[in-house]
Amino acid sequence: MSLTRLSNTTSNPHFGTGVILALVGAIAFSGKAIIVKLGYRYGVDAVMLLMFRMLFALPMFLAMAWWSGRGKAPLTRADWLGVAGLGFSGYYLSSFLDFAGLQYITASLERLILYLNPTLVLLLAWVLYRKPVRLAHVLGMALSYSGCVLVFSHEISIAGSHVALGAALVFASAMTYAVYLVYSGQLVKRLGSLRLVGLATTVACICCIAQFVLLRPITSAFVVAPEVIWLSIFNAVFCTAVPVLAVMMAIERIGPALSAQIGMVGPLSTIMMGVVLLGEPFSAWIAAGTVLVVAGIYVVSRAAAR
């Protein structure tokens, strides 16, 4: 750590709190895949699980949007269209693809694929806005994608070809969320990050509930195992709303760069919880792939911060 960075650390009275909040957010986010995999053991599908998660999260996101919008100018028609589009792609579609993919792959592989998100944002920024890609970016992406390929090849050799479908669905989820991040810049400046998140996730909640109403009998929601309800409540509160707020508060205290670096514990915590709670295997292949992915994202993040 440089003298300047050390000075900034010691002069920031909220540094310790920020680090703790970033850790809580990263670990809580990583628990989402574990809760979903546990829910699948009770005979429900992605449409049902996603509906329950968003149904229980909706009041919290409505409160978030109301609280962050107090005293601010109302949204214009263009703002509402932007919020609706970002909510549909970045939260509804991304969540549905992720939940669907988790039916076919382990929580460990899912988290590693989603962790490629910064590289997808980088590639989209290059394609759409011609932002330069440096050699460090390329090296970081090579490391992270080789790590994912390593874990994917190991898992497909054990679990079969359906792993390819699951990985493709989760990668599509990461891509749709990358689109949200790339296009949300202007709305974040106008509305603020917390207000945008609250409104966009509210749109996603409505989409998930509407999807269930259109595709499943309403009565099917009343005959699920009680464990599905409790898991969904836990998912909505501790793996959805709480980490959103924790990461936002961490960024306010220690900045986005350090918060992102601390967030690298996410894949590790997912793997640990997968082994302990789901009985997923842990091997040298998974360890090596995880190291490569985390190292690659670290290189990409460091290069982007310069």
Side-chain angles (χ1 to χ4, degrees), residues 11-32:
S11 63
N12 181 1
H14 303 295
F15 179 80
T17 306
V19 169
I20 292 172
L21 286 167
L23 281 170
V24 169
I27 295 171
F29 266 132
S30 68
K32 176 262 302 174

Side-chain angles (χ1 to χ4, degrees), residues 71-90:
K72 296 183 179 178
L75 273 65
T76 65
R77 182 173 180 271
D79 290 337
W80 278 116
L81 288 174
V83 166
L86 291 174
F88 179 87
S89 65

Side-chain angles (χ1 to χ4, degrees), residues 79-242:
D79 290 337
W80 278 116
L81 288 174
V83 166
L86 291 174
F88 179 87
S89 65
Y91 288 103
Y92 158 68
L93 188 56
S94 179
S95 296
F96 177 71
L97 291 168
D98 182 35
F99 274 49
L102 276 167
Q103 295 176 101
Y104 307 105
I105 62 175
T106 62
S108 302
L109 179 56
E110 180 259 8
R111 178 51 49 183
L112 291 179
I113 295 173
L114 290 183
Y115 206 64
L116 297 174
N117 190 262
T119 69
L120 298 175
V121 171
L122 184 68
L123 290 172
L124 282 173
W126 174 68
V127 171
L128 297 173
Y129 305 117
R130 294 302 173 190
K131 290 190 176 181
V133 176
R134 298 197 293 268
L135 178 60
H137 293 142
V138 176
L139 292 176
M141 286 190 285
L143 283 173
S144 57
Y145 281 87
S146 63
C148 262
V149 170
L150 188 65
V151 177
F152 169 79
S153 60
H154 175 65
E155 188 162 319
I156 200 171
S157 67
I158 296 174
S161 58
H162 63 275
V163 172
L165 173 60
L169 288 168
V170 175
F171 186 79
S173 170
M175 179 61 77
T176 55
Y177 190 68
V179 170
Y180 164 83
L181 292 175
V182 169
Y183 281 106
S184 64
Q186 292 301 317
L187 272 179
V188 167
K189 291 177 182 177
R190 288 204 300 274
L191 306 181
S193 57
L194 190 60
R195 190 181 186 191
L196 177 59
V197 168
L199 291 170
T201 47
T202 296
V203 169
C205 289
I206 295 170
C207 289
C208 293
I209 295 168
Q211 175 183 255
F212 174 79
V213 171
L214 290 172
L215 299 179
R216 300 288 184 272
I218 299 287
T219 53
S220 63
F222 300 99
V223 294
V224 298
E227 291 84 356
V228 172
I229 303 298
W230 290 114
L231 285 169
S232 298
I233 293 173
F234 190 94
N235 197 356
V237 176
F238 296 106
C239 301
T240 306
V242 167

Side-chain angles (χ1 to χ4, degrees), residues 246-305:
V247 171
M248 291 282 186
M249 294 167 67
I251 291 172
E252 289 178 352
R253 287 162 173 76
I254 60 176
L258 184 54
S259 297
Q261 291 176 28
I262 294 172
M264 291 178 181
V265 305
L268 304 178
S269 61
T270 300
I271 290 170
M272 291 176 62
M273 286 188 283
V275 172
V276 174
L277 299 176
L278 301 176
E280 291 185 351
F282 181 76
S283 65
W285 293 91
I286 296 173
T290 302
V291 169
L292 287 171
V293 170
V294 172
I297 298 303
Y298 177 78
V299 171
V300 169
S301 301
R302 293 282 293 178

